[in-house]
Amino acid sequence: MRLAVLGGGGFRVPLVYGALLRDTAKPRVEEVVLYDVSPERLEAVGHVLAQLAAGHDDPPLVRVTTDLDTALRDADFVFSAIRVGGLAGRTADERVALDLGLLGQETTGPGGVAYGLRTIPVAVRVAERVAALAPGAWVINFTNPAGMVTEAMRRVLGERVVGICDSPIGLVRRAASALGLDPARVSPDYVGLNHLGWLRGLSHQGRDVLPGLLADDTALRQVEEARIFGPDWVRTLGALPNEYLYYYYFTREAVAATSGRTRGESLLEQQERFYAAVRERPGQALAEWTRARRERDESYMAEARDVTDAGERDAADLEAGGYEGIALALMAAIARGEPATMILNVRNGVAVPGLPEDAVVEIPCAVDGSGVRPLATRPLPGRFLGLVQQVKAVEQTAIEAALTGSSRLAVEAFALHPLVDSVGTARRLLDGYRARVPQLAEVLPGR
């Protein structure tokens, strides 16, 4: 099989290749084509992959290209992890909002809307090229904001694009482990949108064990999300929230904690050091990447852990892996017909009552050689459903704004977001993002 990786010069691509090296079942990925707009980043990642493959028998062949069509032609799977505007765009997403006293975060709040506005036209063009050059391929989308981007790409590719995220499976893994259970032997009742969902139940041998976890202070302390939100709040909710809901439930604290240097600014500095180090010492590429990866992982959502005294990330959690494992499991289920149940971003249909049928939601799905089928969920209570409906309305408005070039709809998307406090602020957000991010100014050139 041939896998095309879009954003192939990205920092996390070695995680995907490392997972492929560990995969020995047949059929397996025999060729990986890395596509990126930056030849320098492709070269650096190529050095890391070559050093990862050293000592492996028959590792997947790696090719690199800066031509999208070359990467996509005859691909069996396409992994999309592009970042339109690069990390400089991310820093603008965060900083423009913070300068207006709002949450500055990559995918949540106004930063996520801005990221989606400039990314969606590019993602849709990618989908069109996939349809033309690899019509039988499956696209696995990790490009953020993943739910919004997947929903836009579905207009071209339909069921053959699936969004993935490692936050839900990480939450399920931590909850099961806190109870001494094998995460592979539990069934999660998880429902929501990408970066906005709740684990409402955890079935083991036909019994919901989540209430027991919520009642156990010692066990809860082993779950990072419970430490971030606090035991009283998760008990009030009767559920374990996705970590990104911290930005909704503790907005004031989150804004205060990120008023200094943002995560985007920190990552920009870290990655510039990494790529520069590899240019200078290509023989040390893998060692440099390993060091930078550890630094990156340990700083993930550090502001939330600092404010809530949640402590450092669990070492076992850092070693457990993330989206690369989900991507490989999804490919294996489809290509080899190995049945699996996974939490994915897919078309709602009637799975989540109260949301449009065409909305992309994040829920458990059954996956096998015939494709991906969303599983029905219990209705969301009002305290969850209202927030999900509001944010989905924002996402769908942003998609229309991006595809039509409508500044009016872009302002509407910002203004409708629950983390934006006025229409006037929404207008200032759009002006600020257009001034700071050339790619967004191209999508929305006029007032």
Side-chain angles (χ1 to χ4, degrees):
M1 294 190 296
R2 176 180 294 174
L3 169 66
V5 180
L6 312 185
F11 182 78
R12 290 186 287 186
V13 169
L15 295 172
V16 178
Y17 191 68
L20 295 175
L21 289 171
R22 296 187 294 272
D23 182 36
T24 58
K26 301 288 185 179
R28 62 190 288 263
V29 172
E30 298 172 336
E31 182 180 19
V32 179
V33 185
L34 306 181
Y35 161 78
D36 204 287
V37 297
S38 168
E40 294 80 12
R41 290 167 67 92
L42 282 173
E43 182 179 13
V45 170
H47 287 305
V48 178
L49 301 195
Q51 291 165 31
L52 275 173
H56 286 266
D57 295 330
D58 192 27
L61 174 69
V62 177
R63 292 194 295 116
V64 301
T65 181
T66 56
D67 181 72
L68 178 62
D69 284 5
T70 298
L72 294 176
R73 190 170 284 111
D74 299 325
D76 297 291
F77 287 91
V78 177
F79 191 93
S80 180
I82 62 176
R83 183 178 285 281
V84 178
L87 280 174
R90 174 176 179 167
T91 64
D93 293 339
E94 297 166 340
R95 185 54 60 189
V96 168
L98 282 168
D99 287 348
L100 291 171
L102 304 177
L103 177 75
Q105 210 280 327
E106 175 192 20
T107 62
T108 303
V113 174
Y115 192 9
L117 286 170
R118 69 173 182 271
T119 303
I120 284 166
V122 177
V124 169
R125 285 196 294 273
V126 166
E128 291 168 348
R129 299 314 297 157
V130 171
L133 298 169
W138 285 84
V139 175
I140 301 174
N141 178 58
F142 193 69
T143 296
N144 276 323
M148 197 188 304
V149 171
T150 301
E151 187 166 326
M153 295 181 79
R154 277 190 48 83
R155 297 186 177 201
V156 178
L157 297 171
E159 303 297 331
R160 285 191 170 268
V161 58
V162 180
I164 66 172
C165 182
D166 51 4
S167 288
I169 189 61
L171 172 57
V172 173
R173 184 173 60 227
R174 288 184 284 273
S177 297
L179 290 168
L181 301 175
D182 181 352
R185 296 184 177 275
V186 298
S187 298
D189 174 9
Y190 182 94
V191 62
L193 309 179
N194 180 240
H195 289 183
L196 199 162
W198 299 263
L199 180 64
R200 304 182 301 169
L202 194 65
S203 178
H204 179 256
Q205 297 181 346
R207 183 173 66 90
D208 185 4
V209 296
L210 185 65
L213 173 59
L214 295 179
D216 187 334
D217 282 342
T218 301
L220 274 181
R221 279 194 292 271
Q222 300 177 50
V223 181
E224 182 170 328
E225 288 82 355
R227 296 198 303 270
I228 288 174
F229 291 97
D232 289 343
W233 186 240
V234 298
R235 287 172 184 143
T236 297
L237 295 174
L240 285 171
N242 183 295
E243 57 203 345
Y244 283 84
L245 275 158
Y246 174 80
Y247 300 116
Y248 291 92
Y249 292 141
F250 294 90
T251 308
R252 186 182 296 270
E253 293 85 350
V255 172
T258 54
S259 58
R261 189 166 67 159
T262 69
R263 178 163 168 80
E265 290 162 349
S266 297
L267 289 180
L268 179 60
E269 179 182 308
Q270 289 175 20
Q271 292 198 16
E272 285 178 344
R273 288 201 307 268
F274 162 72
Y275 288 105
V278 174
R279 284 195 300 271
E280 295 173 6
R281 300 179 297 278
Q284 297 296 312
L286 179 56
E288 290 290 346
W289 178 81
T290 301
R291 177 198 56 75
R293 180 201 170 190
R294 173 65 64 169
E295 182 181 354
R296 177 192 179 106
D297 286 348
E298 289 175 348
S299 66
Y300 178 68
M301 291 198 77
E303 74 283 357
R305 294 197 310 276
D306 289 345
V307 169
T308 58
D309 293 324
E312 297 299 318
R313 297 191 70 190
D314 186 88
D317 226 22
L318 292 173
E319 297 300 327
Y323 77 97
E324 71 279 2
I326 302 169
L328 190 63
L330 179 57
M331 288 192 289
I334 293 172
R336 301 172 192 153
E338 301 173 357
T341 300
M342 309 175 66
I343 299 172
L344 301 169
N345 286 267
V346 295
R347 180 180 183 271
N348 178 40
V350 296
V352 183
L355 290 178
E357 291 186 5
D358 63 343
V360 164
V361 294
E362 192 168 76
I363 55 174
C365 300
V367 189
D368 58 24
S370 65
V372 179
R373 296 179 302 282
L375 301 176
T377 65
R378 292 185 292 121
L380 281 166
R383 64 185 183 279
F384 297 162
L385 180 60
L387 180 57
V388 169
Q389 288 175 326
Q390 187 73 12
V391 173
K392 177 50 65 176
V394 170
E395 292 183 353
Q396 295 191 323
T397 303
I399 290 171
E400 293 305 320
L403 295 180
T404 62
S406 170
S407 295
R408 180 187 63 80
L409 286 175
V411 169
E412 181 181 344
F414 283 121
L416 287 176
H417 201 286
L419 298 180
V420 175
D421 55 9
S422 78
V423 176
T425 301
R427 293 180 178 130
R428 289 191 289 275
L429 282 166
L430 180 57
D431 289 343
Y433 286 125
R434 272 199 289 229
R436 289 278 304 266
V437 186
Q439 293 85 359
L440 192 143
E442 291 175 5
V443 172
L444 301 166
R447 299 193 68 84

